[in-house]
Amino acid sequence: DVDELVESDDPEHPANLIPELCRGFYTIGWVTGTGGGISIKKGNLVYLAPSGVQKERILPSHIFVLPYPQPSVVKAHTERTFLRKPKQEGLKESACTPLFWNAFDLRNAAACIHTHSQHAVMATLLWKGETFEISHQEMIKGIRIGGTGKTLSYLDTLVVPIIENTPHEEDLTDSMNAMMLKYPDAAGILVRRHGLYVWGPTWQGAKTQAECLDYLFEIGVKMKLMGL
Amino acid sequence: DVDELVESDDPEHPANLIPELCRGFYTIGWVTGTGGGISIKKGNLVYLAPSGVQKERILPSHIFVLPYPQPSVVKAHTERTFLRKPKQEGLKESACTPLFWNAFDLRNAAACIHTHSQHAVMATLLWKGETFEISHQEMIKGIRIGGTGKTLSYLDTLVVPIIENTPHEEDLTDSMNAMMLKYPDAAGILVRRHGLYVWGPTWQGAKTQAECLDYLFEIGVKMKLMGL
Amino acid sequence: DVDELVESDDPEHPANLIPELCRGFYTIGWVTGTGGGISIKKGNLVYLAPSGVQKERILPSHIFVLPYPQPSVVKAHTERTFLRKPKQEGLKESACTPLFWNAFDLRNAAACIHTHSQHAVMATLLWKGETFEISHQEMIKGIRIGGTGKTLSYLDTLVVPIIENTPHEEDLTDSMNAMMLKYPDAAGILVRRHGLYVWGPTWQGAKTQAECLDYLFEIGVKMKLMGL
Amino acid sequence: DVDELVESDDPEHPANLIPELCRGFYTIGWVTGTGGGISIKKGNLVYLAPSGVQKERILPSHIFVLPYPQPSVVKAHTERTFLRKPKQEGLKESACTPLFWNAFDLRNAAACIHTHSQHAVMATLLWKGETFEISHQEMIKGIRIGGTGKTLSYLDTLVVPIIENTPHEEDLTDSMNAMMLKYPDAAGILVRRHGLYVWGPTWQGAKTQAECLDYLFEIGVKMKLMGL
């Protein structure tokens, strides 16, 4: 029974973690209005939340499960093979799926988070070029090179590339992919007027990266406000 | 027994949902000081919270139930037929009732939310004309045309009409009605120096619309603060 | 046994309410660092929290109970008769006691709240004169004349007197008293660089008044920030 | 069995308190992204959280226990004697350990808190010299001289020294130590672009000091923003 893929008493099972983490992300404003989310990869299974639902009310039974890697006959971004789909009518896999996949494929990430954090959006409005940059902040030490490598030093400058938003989320796939290749050390990708994609070597790592980056966007914006 | 209208073990029963949702709205500052609230329509029943009570402490037994539509002999805005009133002394139906009714009648909404969010109020102070407008924000994609239709595109400009406040809440009924007819695509109505009315095709939809609009008011105000 | 004065299964018993309300006030920043608190009068008993303790960790057993009114032989502000004191060593009644008493005596209040809210403090820094004033805000309708009378109209201007801070909290007693007599319609008293005293005809009313005033201080400060 | 050092039904046992307090600190933004933490000294035992883990998810079984004072043969800052280490692979004691020790040794503190609060960081950016200073704020009365002595008066000016950040946390040890000796009345030490170290005579006192200082940094930053 494929439903066993999302039924577990272990609170750290991805089908339990995704709802719990989304509730936490909701309270800090990262996934309000059904936006944003998280995908977790464990072994060769990818766990995914549905699209367009209240992220703070997801249940384990709503979770999609996909094989990783996808069979090579599947066309990138437009087709997908599933091991388990929720039975509820109208649930569609997250529109972020191909962007999460970028993190799995290009960075060997085990989890990818997408936020609509206002700190991220404000950072993309105030840093008008191709990158957000900040230096001399302790929280930079929490950021991993490429998101999954060694942590940065306090003396390093953090550089987060910014891609331009598109009407359809999946159309961000190629520009995100290109930017991840252009900036191999980037720990996340900002989407202008939209939010952040960030990943990590584990779900804990992805969450930590997300918190450190969001802290740095917030303090960067505050510094601009104060004229610093 | 009419009390059965508000007694249910189902957490998604409107008499249970209204108290739960109000507790959530309270924590984000939408309904402090007894202001604001939510009304849910299910079939031909409308569920309503009392006026002037702490919205985060409502119980299912406090809920009013009204028939929808109201009998044609009832005079608009001043008389109402109830199927169930709470027994507690001093509880009066929400003063927002005729404004919620606008959303049910003009947009076929199944739920209507009223917030006193400071983001909404600040938006009405900074956008001094008849409308709040914002474009090029991902969260615009969460907004439905007319509040209950198809979602907007990222390329659309969001327009939210603003009506002027009045000393008595029910006196907003006609100007809200007129503005909803003038702007048939409007997903919500701002009340200057007061707050927001917003609705949706379901209670989930109304909550999502409210979160997306509030996010957009907040980021719009922040952009003004930063001179953007 | 005087301990029965603070032992009850009723969540609305003052000895249970004070700890619960203080936990809520803590999460919104009104009583951090042991500052602030609430006193509730029920019949001729006044319930009081201890001084200098973490307000979010008060237990019913920590509550003081005093007779109201105090016996006439007791000297104002310096002596007090108690019906029940907590057994824990080192607990002293709140230094706000004589200020709470002002609200009971002069306004016939049934509860008085003291916050260190930053919105209140910022308001006293930006309104440099003897009063904070604001008009044309819906939340003004939540404010009661004198704190316990009829509610204001949307067309009324809210006036909250400001007294100057003193090194010792009890030394505010006379100036607060004088200001309450000078402004008989005042629903609360701001203390410059310190916080707010606010009361109501019931504990629910006091909490509602506190929320409405705090909302108005916050939006007043934001309006100054935006140059409105 | 050394595990008994961290196993207790008493919620006030340090091994239970540290996880609980860290969850609270997480919700107010002091310890996101694995940063910050708290150490508690009880009798001659010091309890310590691990380094680089999600502070809101620490369990009592993750806690390190060290003897206090350390045996004199141990080299300062680089060697340490433990009574109990967690069994989980990869857990290392907090990098803040020698800084917590400064508070235990120089101030006879019973608890030391390290936050990455943005209010603290912004204060260090806006006060560019060797100290943050603020006066005429009620919350100053919550601050203890030297962090563990008598409380300040409302008429006192609060002075919090600021040290410069270093790439490695332990390299702050000597400059923090020197600053604590130079400013014997200082209740905490700010680290520029990094955060705060603060302590107290008890864990309750340390938490109270942390809350009062953070409040004062926040209001100091707001005053600069408003041009006050």
Side-chain angles (χ1 to χ4, degrees):
Chain A
D1 182 2
V2 295
D3 284 350
E4 287 178 13
L5 289 169
V6 297
E7 290 165 358
S8 167
D9 292 335
D10 180 3
E12 301 238 341
H13 186 283
N16 294 328
L17 271 174
I18 289 175
E20 187 218 327
L21 292 169
C22 282
R23 281 193 298 274
F25 296 163
Y26 177 79
T27 66
I28 52 174
W30 286 1
V31 299
T32 61
T34 81
I38 179 171
S39 175
I40 296 177
K41 175 158 70 77
K42 190 172 181 181
N44 28 22
L45 300 180
V46 169
Y47 299 82
L48 206 61
S51 168
V53 300
Q54 298 177 85
K55 291 295 187 288
E56 72 282 15
R57 290 174 188 262
I58 295 171
L59 299 177
S61 64
H62 298 161
I63 301 293
F64 291 81
V65 187
L66 294 79
Y68 185 87
Q70 288 272 298
S72 56
V73 293
V74 167
K75 283 189 234 147
H77 311 168
T78 52
E79 279 182 17
R80 249 162 244 127
T81 296
F82 292 86
L83 296 175
R84 194 256 174 193
K85 289 187 178 194
K87 293 185 176 64
Q88 291 85 340
E89 217 180 310
L91 291 190
K92 216 174 147 309
E93 74 271 20
S94 167
C96 310
T97 307
L99 294 94
F100 292 148
W101 231 263
N102 276 339
F104 301 148
D105 285 349
L106 298 182
R107 294 290 203 266
N108 197 25
C112 185
I113 294 170
H114 174 43
T115 87
H116 284 190
S117 164
Q118 295 210 355
H119 306 306
V121 172
M122 288 305 293
T124 68
L125 292 169
L126 290 165
W127 275 257
K128 296 170 195 289
E130 190 179 274
T131 56
F132 167 88
E133 300 195 13
I134 196 167
S135 68
H136 295 93
Q137 284 289 340
E138 174 69 10
M139 289 294 265
I140 291 171
K141 288 167 59 180
I143 305 297
R144 293 182 180 279
I145 296 174
T148 49
K150 291 173 62 173
T151 49
L152 291 177
S153 152
Y154 174 66
L155 302 175
D156 292 323
T157 294
L158 174 72
V159 178
V160 184
I162 306 173
I163 59 175
E164 303 304 321
N165 201 26
T166 54
H168 299 286
E169 192 112 18
E170 53 270 31
D171 293 340
L172 295 168
T173 312
D174 291 341
S175 60
M176 176 182 170
N177 187 303
M179 209 59 128
M180 289 175 73
L181 295 174
K182 180 172 176 185
Y183 292 87
D185 289 352
I189 299 288
L190 282 161
V191 185
R192 188 140 16 232
R193 300 171 175 276
H194 179 156
L196 172 73
Y197 281 87
V198 56
W199 51 83
T202 58
W203 70 264
Q204 296 96 331
K207 175 168 168 289
T208 297
Q209 297 293 292
E211 289 175 356
C212 290
L213 284 182
D214 201 62
Y215 178 104
L216 291 162
F217 300 145
E218 183 178 1
I219 211 138
V221 170
K222 283 183 186 167
M223 288 174 72
K224 292 258 185 193
L225 175 63
M226 302 300 301
L228 292 165
Chain B
D1 181 3
V2 296
D3 283 351
E4 287 177 12
L5 289 169
V6 298
E7 289 165 359
S8 167
D9 291 337
D10 180 3
E12 300 238 341
H13 185 283
N16 294 327
L17 271 174
I18 290 174
E20 188 218 326
L21 292 170
C22 281
R23 282 193 297 275
F25 297 163
Y26 178 79
T27 65
I28 52 175
W30 286 1
V31 300
T32 60
T34 81
I38 178 170
S39 175
I40 296 178
K41 176 158 72 76
K42 190 172 181 181
N44 26 22
L45 299 180
V46 169
Y47 299 81
L48 207 61
S51 168
V53 301
Q54 298 177 82
K55 291 295 185 290
E56 72 282 14
R57 289 173 188 263
I58 294 172
L59 299 177
S61 63
H62 299 161
I63 301 293
F64 292 81
V65 186
L66 294 80
Y68 186 87
Q70 288 273 295
S72 55
V73 294
V74 167
K75 283 189 235 149
H77 311 167
T78 52
E79 280 181 16
R80 248 161 245 129
T81 296
F82 292 87
L83 297 174
R84 194 256 174 193
K85 290 187 178 195
K87 294 185 176 64
Q88 290 86 340
E89 217 180 312
L91 289 190
K92 217 175 146 308
E93 74 272 20
S94 168
C96 311
T97 308
L99 294 94
F100 292 149
W101 231 263
N102 276 339
F104 300 148
D105 285 349
L106 297 181
R107 294 288 204 268
N108 197 26
C112 185
I113 295 170
H114 174 43
T115 86
H116 284 190
S117 164
Q118 295 210 354
H119 306 307
V121 172
M122 288 304 295
T124 69
L125 292 168
L126 291 165
W127 275 257
K128 295 169 196 289
E130 190 179 274
T131 56
F132 167 88
E133 300 194 13
I134 196 167
S135 68
H136 294 94
Q137 284 289 341
E138 173 69 9
M139 289 294 264
I140 291 171
K141 289 167 57 180
I143 305 298
R144 293 183 180 277
I145 296 173
T148 48
K150 291 173 62 174
T151 49
L152 291 177
S153 151
Y154 174 66
L155 301 176
D156 291 323
T157 295
L158 174 73
V159 177
V160 184
I162 306 172
I163 59 175
E164 302 304 320
N165 200 26
T166 54
H168 298 286
E169 191 112 19
E170 53 270 31
D171 293 339
L172 295 168
T173 312
D174 291 341
S175 61
M176 176 181 169
N177 187 304
M179 209 57 129
M180 288 175 74
L181 294 174
K182 180 172 177 185
Y183 293 87
D185 289 352
I189 299 289
L190 282 161
V191 187
R192 188 139 17 233
R193 301 171 174 277
H194 179 156
L196 173 73
Y197 281 88
V198 56
W199 50 83
T202 58
W203 71 264
Q204 296 96 332
K207 175 168 168 287
T208 297
Q209 297 293 293
E211 289 174 357
C212 290
L213 284 182
D214 202 62
Y215 179 104
L216 291 163
F217 300 146
E218 183 178 1
I219 212 139
V221 170
K222 283 183 187 167
M223 288 173 72
K224 293 256 186 195
L225 176 62
M226 303 299 302
L228 291 165
Chain C
D1 180 4
V2 296
D3 284 349
E4 287 177 12
L5 289 169
V6 298
E7 289 165 358
S8 167
D9 291 336
D10 179 2
E12 300 239 341
H13 186 284
N16 295 328
L17 271 174
I18 290 175
E20 188 218 325
L21 292 169
C22 282
R23 282 193 297 274
F25 297 163
Y26 178 79
T27 65
I28 53 174
W30 286 1
V31 300
T32 61
T34 81
I38 178 171
S39 175
I40 296 178
K41 175 158 71 77
K42 191 172 181 180
N44 28 22
L45 300 181
V46 169
Y47 299 81
L48 208 61
S51 168
V53 301
Q54 298 176 83
K55 291 295 185 291
E56 73 282 14
R57 290 173 187 262
I58 294 171
L59 299 177
S61 63
H62 299 160
I63 301 293
F64 292 81
V65 187
L66 295 79
Y68 185 88
Q70 288 273 296
S72 57
V73 294
V74 166
K75 284 190 234 146
H77 312 168
T78 52
E79 279 182 16
R80 245 162 246 128
T81 297
F82 292 87
L83 297 174
R84 194 257 175 192
K85 290 188 178 195
K87 294 185 176 65
Q88 290 86 339
E89 217 180 312
L91 290 191
K92 219 175 145 308
E93 75 272 19
S94 167
C96 311
T97 307
L99 294 95
F100 292 147
W101 231 262
N102 276 339
F104 301 148
D105 285 349
L106 298 182
R107 294 289 203 268
N108 197 26
C112 186
I113 295 171
H114 174 42
T115 86
H116 285 190
S117 164
Q118 296 211 352
H119 305 308
V121 173
M122 288 304 295
T124 68
L125 293 168
L126 291 165
W127 274 257
K128 295 169 197 289
E130 191 179 274
T131 55
F132 167 88
E133 301 194 12
I134 195 167
S135 68
H136 295 94
Q137 284 289 341
E138 174 69 10
M139 289 294 266
I140 290 171
K141 289 167 57 180
I143 304 298
R144 293 182 180 280
I145 296 174
T148 49
K150 290 173 61 174
T151 49
L152 291 177
S153 151
Y154 174 66
L155 301 175
D156 292 323
T157 294
L158 174 74
V159 177
V160 184
I162 306 172
I163 59 175
E164 303 304 320
N165 200 27
T166 54
H168 298 286
E169 191 112 19
E170 53 271 30
D171 293 340
L172 294 169
T173 311
D174 292 341
S175 61
M176 177 181 168
N177 188 304
M179 209 59 129
M180 288 174 75
L181 295 173
K182 180 172 176 184
Y183 292 86
D185 290 351
I189 299 289
L190 282 162
V191 187
R192 187 135 23 230
R193 301 172 174 277
H194 179 156
L196 172 72
Y197 281 88
V198 56
W199 50 83
T202 58
W203 71 263
Q204 295 96 332
K207 176 168 167 288
T208 297
Q209 297 292 292
E211 289 174 357
C212 290
L213 284 182
D214 202 62
Y215 179 104
L216 291 162
F217 300 146
E218 183 178 0
I219 211 139
V221 170
K222 283 183 188 167
M223 288 174 72
K224 293 257 186 196
L225 176 63
M226 303 299 303
L228 291 166
Chain D
D1 181 4
V2 295
D3 284 349
E4 287 177 12
L5 289 169
V6 296
E7 289 166 358
S8 167
D9 291 335
D10 179 3
E12 300 238 341
H13 186 284
N16 294 329
L17 271 174
I18 290 174
E20 188 218 326
L21 292 170
C22 282
R23 281 193 298 274
F25 297 164
Y26 177 79
T27 66
I28 52 174
W30 287 1
V31 299
T32 60
T34 81
I38 178 171
S39 175
I40 296 178
K41 174 158 71 78
K42 190 173 182 180
N44 25 23
L45 299 181
V46 169
Y47 299 81
L48 206 61
S51 168
V53 300
Q54 298 176 85
K55 290 296 186 289
E56 72 281 16
R57 290 173 187 263
I58 294 171
L59 298 177
S61 63
H62 299 162
I63 300 294
F64 292 80
V65 186
L66 295 78
Y68 185 87
Q70 288 274 297
S72 57
V73 294
V74 166
K75 285 190 233 145
H77 311 168
T78 51
E79 280 183 15
R80 246 161 246 128
T81 296
F82 292 87
L83 296 174
R84 194 256 175 193
K85 289 187 178 194
K87 293 185 176 66
Q88 290 85 339
E89 217 180 310
L91 290 190
K92 218 173 146 311
E93 75 271 19
S94 168
C96 311
T97 307
L99 294 95
F100 293 147
W101 231 263
N102 276 340
F104 301 147
D105 284 350
L106 297 182
R107 293 291 202 266
N108 197 25
C112 186
I113 294 171
H114 174 43
T115 86
H116 284 190
S117 165
Q118 295 210 353
H119 306 307
V121 172
M122 287 305 294
T124 68
L125 293 168
L126 291 164
W127 275 256
K128 296 169 195 291
E130 190 179 274
T131 56
F132 166 89
E133 301 195 12
I134 195 167
S135 68
H136 294 93
Q137 285 289 339
E138 174 69 11
M139 290 294 265
I140 290 171
K141 287 167 58 179
I143 305 298
R144 294 182 180 279
I145 297 174
T148 50
K150 291 173 61 172
T151 49
L152 291 177
S153 152
Y154 175 65
L155 301 175
D156 291 323
T157 294
L158 173 74
V159 177
V160 184
I162 306 172
I163 59 175
E164 303 303 321
N165 200 26
T166 54
H168 298 287
E169 192 112 20
E170 53 271 30
D171 292 340
L172 295 168
T173 312
D174 291 341
S175 60
M176 176 182 169
N177 188 304
M179 209 58 128
M180 289 174 73
L181 294 174
K182 180 171 176 186
Y183 292 88
D185 289 351
I189 298 288
L190 283 161
V191 185
R192 190 145 7 239
R193 301 171 174 277
H194 178 157
L196 173 72
Y197 281 88
V198 56
W199 51 84
T202 58
W203 71 263
Q204 295 97 331
K207 175 168 166 290
T208 297
Q209 297 293 292
E211 288 175 356
C212 290
L213 285 182
D214 202 61
Y215 179 104
L216 291 162
F217 300 146
E218 183 178 359
I219 210 137
V221 170
K222 283 183 186 167
M223 288 175 71
K224 293 257 186 195
L225 175 63
M226 303 300 302
L228 292 164

